[in-house]
Amino acid sequence: MTAALAYALGGVLVFAIALGGLLLRHHLLHRIIALNMMGAAVFLVLVAMAGRGPEASADPVPQAMVLTGIVVTVGATALALALACRVYRETGCTELPEDQPR
Amino acid sequence: MQPVVWTLDLPLLVSLVALAAGALSARELFTSVALFIAFGLLMALTWARLGAVDIALAEAAIGAGLTGALLMLTLRCVEGTAGVGNGRGSAADKPLSRSTRPFVSVVLGCMAGMLLILFALATGAAVWWLPREMAGLSAVVETQLPRSGVKHAVTAVLLNFRGYDTLWELAVLLLAALGVQLLRAQRGPSATAFLRSGPSSDPVLQGLIRVAAPLIVLLSFYLLWLGAHAPGGAFQGGALLGAGSVLLFLGAAVTPRRTRGLVARILVSVGLLGFVTTGIAAMLLGGRFLQYPPGWAKPLILGIEFVAMLSIAAVFASLFAALLPGEIPAAREGDPPEDTP
């Protein structure tokens, strides 16, 4: 078993856990954290899978893609957080209406 | 690729999974955020372990630093401690599992859990059964590297071979900054007042800023220059500079109000503008869009990286400033030395 394979499997596990958090937690902040973790897990799988090649060094193309992805993720996260803040200011709730008990 | 070193990889993997599970199952939001920051730090270690040093540098500044700071600010906003306009109580904050039909929610939760386990097993099996060897693109990048103008493969991919990705990434960042500005708070005490009343009176923080701010600026420009031949570049430098500006905000060395204005707006957009201008200039000189003329690749790449770093840092700073409670500025200058007192 190579390290790349181990980390790819670890990434799959983190993705599943984060998906569970996204589905089962209702607070918007929890959901944003879960989405962020799902992204990190996808990046981990992507880079780890690219490390299966014969060379010792990692493939630069997935590395560049993930680098771009991380920077885009923080932009998307900031926008999501600003939206969550605005939702709280407008409604006083930290959950979406369809998640609230009726 | 190297075989697994169990004494190193197993603790790292177990901690990653445990932190993910802990952050998403914690009762307190603050615990979740703190564990998420720890998760980001361990991700940086993981990237270094996988040989992706460029990503490790960026993740340490962004995943652990900046995202954590943004989450903490939002936590403050939704917990209603400062700058909240018309929060009408927090009745909806109660856990929902105690809704009218607990049995239904327990059954649904179990079903979701089983589906997730199935999903993890299926995806894990897919990863496991993939061919163990594959060619990848390393060889192609290696052969074309001398034509790219830089000596580091990741920088060559980012700014030459796949320049489009980086161009649109800068566009996305600009859009995110605009969106966050549009959603900013309209009422409440000013962000400057919040900062002055809060952490900025801490003498330890003030001392730390005096030592750290110049070092951060120096280090980010060093990373930018290093990107031509070693891990580093505009993203890492920009992320570091942006994270450093958070420190300046917290210490009230820079007031968010001061960041409004033409200079800040230019800094936020100069990366994208510079990139597009270079691409169109290349077209006018007879090439394709973003096809650097022979011999000009290295200076052009360094120039684009310089403006991209300024823009990335300015966008990050403006994202942080816009999430500060209360009245919010437009953006700040990406170059802290001018702002340090």
Side-chain angles (χ1 to χ4, degrees), chain A residues 1-27 29-34 36-37 40-41 43-45 47-72 74-86 88-95 99-102, chain B residues 1-4 9 12-13 17 19-21 23-26 29 32-33 36 39 43 46-47 49-55 58-59 62 66-67 70-71 74-75 77-78 80 83-86 88-89 92-94 96 99-100 112 116 119-120 123-124 127-128 130-134 136-138 141 153-154 157-158 165 169 172-173 176 179-180 182-185 235-236 316 319 323:
Chain A
M1 188 165 176
T2 61
L5 190 59
Y7 281 99
L9 291 176
V12 169
L13 202 54
V14 171
F15 185 91
I17 292 172
L19 184 60
L22 183 71
L23 292 176
L24 298 174
R25 298 305 300 254
H26 295 279
H27 198 289
L29 219 50
H30 273 132
R31 294 204 152 159
I32 292 170
I33 289 178
N36 238 303
M37 278 185 176
F43 295 151
L44 184 55
V45 174
V47 170
M49 299 308 292
R52 294 175 303 142
E55 301 94 354
S57 65
D59 194 338
V61 178
Q63 277 195 61
M65 285 163 70
V66 168
L67 203 51
T68 310
I70 287 180
V71 176
V72 167
V74 71
T77 306
L79 191 58
L81 290 173
L83 280 169
C85 251
R86 189 62 181 263
Y88 179 74
R89 267 195 209 100
E90 299 292 329
T91 65
C93 299
T94 53
E95 291 165 356
D99 288 332
Q100 287 162 12
R102 276 174 285 265
Chain B
M1 192 73 200
Q2 313 98 318
V4 180
D9 292 331
L12 199 51
L13 278 169
V17 173
L19 281 174
L24 292 174
S25 61
L29 271 175
S32 290
V33 174
F36 177 75
F39 177 84
M43 279 304 291
T46 308
W47 296 126
R49 167 71 182 102
L50 286 172
V53 185
D54 292 270
I55 310 178
E59 178 88 41
I62 294 178
L66 193 72
T67 311
L70 294 176
L71 281 169
T74 315
L75 189 62
C77 163
V78 298
V84 175
N86 57 344
R88 286 191 286 276
D93 290 351
K94 285 177 199 139
L96 286 185
S99 63
T100 43
L116 284 174
F119 167 83
T123 321
V127 168
W128 181 267
L130 273 176
R132 293 295 155 85
E133 295 290 321
M134 53 136 218
L137 291 166
S138 302
V141 173
V154 177
V157 172
L158 274 175
D165 292 354
E169 172 195 354
V172 168
L173 275 185
V180 171
L182 287 174
L183 289 165
R184 68 182 200 221
F235 299 94
Q236 293 86 348
F316 285 172
L319 294 179
L323 280 169

Side-chain angles (χ1 to χ4, degrees), chain B:
Chain B
M1 192 73 200
Q2 313 98 318
V4 180
V5 184
W6 288 112
T7 46
L8 172 71
D9 292 331
L10 195 65
L12 199 51
L13 278 169
V14 169
S15 324
L16 270 183
V17 173
L19 281 174
L24 292 174
S25 61
R27 186 172 285 271
E28 292 283 319
L29 271 175
F30 182 81
T31 318
S32 290
V33 174
L35 289 179
F36 177 75
I37 293 172
F39 177 84
L41 275 176
L42 281 190
M43 279 304 291
L45 274 182
T46 308
W47 296 126
R49 167 71 182 102
L50 286 172
V53 185
D54 292 270
I55 310 178
L57 284 169
E59 178 88 41
I62 294 178
L66 193 72
T67 311
L70 294 176
L71 281 169
M72 285 288 179
L73 277 185
T74 315
L75 189 62
R76 202 184 163 90
C77 163
V78 298
E79 288 192 334
T81 45
V84 175
N86 57 344
R88 286 191 286 276
S90 53
D93 290 351
K94 285 177 199 139
L96 286 185
S97 48
R98 289 179 211 121
S99 63
T100 43
R101 287 166 294 174
F103 179 69
V104 177
S105 57
V106 166
V107 169
L108 281 179
C110 285
M111 278 170 63
M114 267 153 45
L115 276 178
L116 284 174
I117 291 171
L118 268 180
F119 167 83
L121 285 178
T123 321
V127 168
W128 181 267
W129 294 117
L130 273 176
R132 293 295 155 85
E133 295 290 321
M134 53 136 218
L137 291 166
S138 302
V140 185
V141 173
E142 202 65 42
T143 33
Q144 299 294 326
L145 196 55
R147 294 177 55 198
S148 72
V150 288
K151 294 196 182 69
H152 183 51
V154 177
T155 309
V157 172
L158 274 175
L159 284 144
N160 201 336
F161 303 150
R162 296 205 55 90
Y164 268 123
D165 292 354
T166 312
L167 176 68
W168 291 116
E169 172 195 354
L170 290 173
V172 168
L173 275 185
L174 187 59
L175 273 181
L178 286 176
V180 171
Q181 294 298 334
L182 287 174
L183 289 165
R184 68 182 200 221
Q186 304 289 346
R187 277 163 299 183
S190 83
T192 314
F194 159 72
L195 286 172
R196 287 211 189 285
S197 69
S200 67
S201 48
D202 187 351
V204 177
L205 182 64
Q206 295 291 347
L208 175 71
I209 287 174
R210 287 213 174 107
V211 179
L215 280 179
I216 286 175
V217 175
L218 187 68
L219 198 59
S220 44
F221 277 88
Y222 173 66
L223 276 175
L224 175 72
W225 174 251
L226 204 61
H229 53 89
F235 299 94
Q236 293 86 348
L240 190 63
L241 208 53
S245 68
V246 170
L247 206 59
L248 290 183
F249 281 132
L250 286 179
V254 180
T255 57
R257 183 186 290 278
R258 229 185 105 179
T259 65
R260 197 177 299 158
L262 193 62
V263 178
R265 284 172 204 205
I266 289 174
L267 276 172
V268 165
S269 49
V270 72
L272 187 62
L273 288 179
F275 216 150
V276 172
T277 313
T278 316
I280 292 175
M283 283 170 85
L284 293 180
L285 288 173
R288 302 252 175 89
F289 186 61
L290 283 180
Q291 187 181 25
Y292 308 129
W296 279 86
K298 179 156 186 182
L300 283 178
I301 286 179
L302 273 180
I304 292 174
E305 279 203 295
F306 178 69
V307 287
M309 181 177 91
L310 289 185
S311 265
I312 290 170
V315 166
F316 285 172
S318 95
L319 294 179
F320 182 82
L323 280 169
L324 279 171
E327 179 249 25
I328 304 301
R332 69 168 295 281
E333 295 153 30
D335 203 0
E338 299 160 15
D339 301 321
T340 11

